[in-house]
Amino acid sequence: MDDPDELAPAVRSILSAARDRADARAGAIVSVAPRDLSAAFERAAADGRVPLIAEVKPTSPTTEGAREDDPVALAEGMVAGGAAALSVLTEPEHFGGRVETLERVRDAVDVPVLRKDFVVEEAQLDAAESDVVLLIARFVGNDLADLLAAARERGFQVLVEVHDRSELERALDAGATTIGVNNRDLAELVVDLGTFESVAPHVPDGVTLIAESGIGSPADVRRMRAAGADALLVGSAIMDGDVEANTRDLVRAEAGDGGASGESDTTDATETPT
Ligand SMILES: O=C(O)c1ccccc1NCC(=O)[C@H](O)[C@H](O)COP(=O)(O)O
């Protein structure tokens, strides 16, 4: 793992809280029968929707305030808007997430659900059943291959998140087949869509490639798709206002009709602190 001093203070705090939660947990090993993420992306594409993972993200270190609506209602709105899959934050202290929220959302929808948390130890995998779990290459260091295997043994599909080419190489060496390139630099908490564009050309065929963070408009969606994204992961831009309409605008970005509420191409997240 990186030198912790190189991470933003908020991210150091997130990791410290994640380790404390892992220490406190001693549960049974979960066994999951997952909903197929790739199949969900294929269904969306066949239907003319951009494959999108919409994120239930009540708050974050870079968001002002918190969204207090029922997360299940938000999740159902995202699916109604055309999301192929959902991501649910379960990190409680910095993102307002809860394991119980993930469980309620997964019971309420029929699309795959990603558990979005900061897993640094195997025991954390057993906190909840989900269809997909996230492993952040930067945070798990040399444990990546072992954690990937441990997650797969439990039945999870695994999204391995990277931010640069060296992390991409580690993810590939560990056997990752679904890789997310995070446009948010977790050292500075600055978003740059150019990150995805610089890493994507080095991802081999056969890997499912997801562009994450900072995607705020249909134009951003098209930019990430042009750079090779098979799918996108979007949180803040969907959580800001009407989640159903926001999701629909993004999933229809390639439909040529400007989305449900007209084209809103003003966002350019390049080097935007968020
Ligand atoms: O979103 C944050 O503020 C954040 C801060 C520190 C560590 C991680 C953070 N985000 C985690 C995520 O992966 C995003 O929620 C996800 O990629 C969606 O990003 P966005 O569409 O920009 O909300």
Side-chain angles (χ1 to χ4, degrees), residues 10-11 14 55 57 59-63 87 89 95 116 118 134 136 139 161 182 184 186 189 191 212-215 233-238 274:
V11 178
I14 290 166
E55 184 160 280
K57 181 179 182 183
T59 188
S60 86
T62 58
T63 307
S87 166
L89 262 304
F95 293 87
K116 184 61 104 59
F118 298 82
L134 176 74
I136 302 175
F139 295 157
E161 179 179 299
N182 195 346
R184 181 173 284 109
L186 298 179
L189 294 184
V191 169
E212 299 177 21
S213 300
I215 298 153
L233 192 156
V234 181
S236 312
I238 288 176
T274 58

Side-chain angles (χ1 to χ4, degrees), residues 74-83 244 247-248:
L74 293 172
E76 288 172 336
M78 292 167 180
V79 174
E244 181 174 339
T247 304
R248 187 168 290 120

Side-chain angles (χ1 to χ4, degrees):
M1 195 181 84
D2 279 355
D3 180 351
D5 290 341
E6 291 176 5
L7 297 170
V11 178
R12 288 206 300 271
S13 172
I14 290 166
L15 284 176
S16 161
R19 285 193 201 95
D20 290 347
R21 281 183 290 134
D23 291 345
R25 186 167 295 126
I29 292 175
V30 300
S31 176
V32 182
R35 300 169 192 161
D36 189 326
L37 184 65
S38 296
F41 290 162
E42 282 164 18
R43 275 195 301 277
D47 196 27
R49 291 174 283 136
V50 174
L52 180 95
I53 305 174
E55 184 160 280
V56 179
K57 181 179 182 183
T59 188
S60 86
T62 58
T63 307
E64 277 185 32
R67 188 126 188 198
E68 307 288 355
D69 324 31
D70 176 15
V72 172
L74 293 172
E76 288 172 336
M78 292 167 180
V79 174
L86 298 178
S87 166
V88 178
L89 262 304
T90 55
E91 203 280 349
E93 292 177 35
H94 304 79
F95 293 87
R98 290 162 59 94
V99 163
E100 295 75 17
T101 299
L102 169 75
E103 292 167 343
R104 288 179 56 223
V105 166
R106 190 162 180 256
D107 282 346
V109 301
D110 57 7
V111 300
V113 180
L114 163 72
R115 176 175 167 221
K116 184 61 104 59
D117 209 323
F118 298 82
V119 172
V120 289
E121 292 179 23
E122 182 173 343
Q124 285 175 277
L125 294 169
D126 298 316
E129 291 186 22
S130 63
D131 304 291
V132 192
V133 288
L134 176 74
L135 295 177
I136 302 175
R138 182 165 202 165
F139 295 157
V140 299
N142 295 333
D143 297 334
L144 182 57
D146 288 344
L147 278 173
L148 189 61
R152 286 178 175 156
E153 278 163 18
R154 289 161 168 81
F156 293 113
Q157 299 157 100
V158 184
L159 169 60
V160 177
E161 179 179 299
V162 305
H163 182 68
D164 59 27
R165 277 188 68 184
S166 71
E167 290 177 6
L168 171 65
E169 291 311 318
R170 284 205 293 116
L172 293 170
D173 288 348
T177 54
T178 303
I179 294 180
V181 178
N182 195 346
N183 289 310
R184 181 173 284 109
D185 180 350
L186 298 179
E188 309 276 347
L189 294 184
V190 167
V191 169
D192 178 1
L193 296 189
T195 303
F196 182 84
E197 292 169 322
S198 68
V199 176
H202 306 285
V203 176
D205 291 346
V207 169
T208 300
L209 180 58
I210 301 175
E212 299 177 21
S213 300
I215 298 153
S217 68
D220 291 342
V221 170
R222 290 191 288 272
R223 179 174 167 187
M224 294 293 94
R225 293 278 280 169
D230 296 308
L232 312 167
L233 192 156
V234 181
S236 312
I238 288 176
M239 292 294 289
D240 183 11
D242 180 336
V243 296
E244 181 174 339
N246 291 341
T247 304
R248 187 168 290 120
D249 268 354
L250 298 180
V251 303
R252 286 166 60 175
E254 294 175 334
D257 61 1
S261 56
E263 191 73 87
S264 52
D265 279 358
T266 49
T267 303
D268 177 353
T270 301
E271 290 293 335
T272 305
T274 58

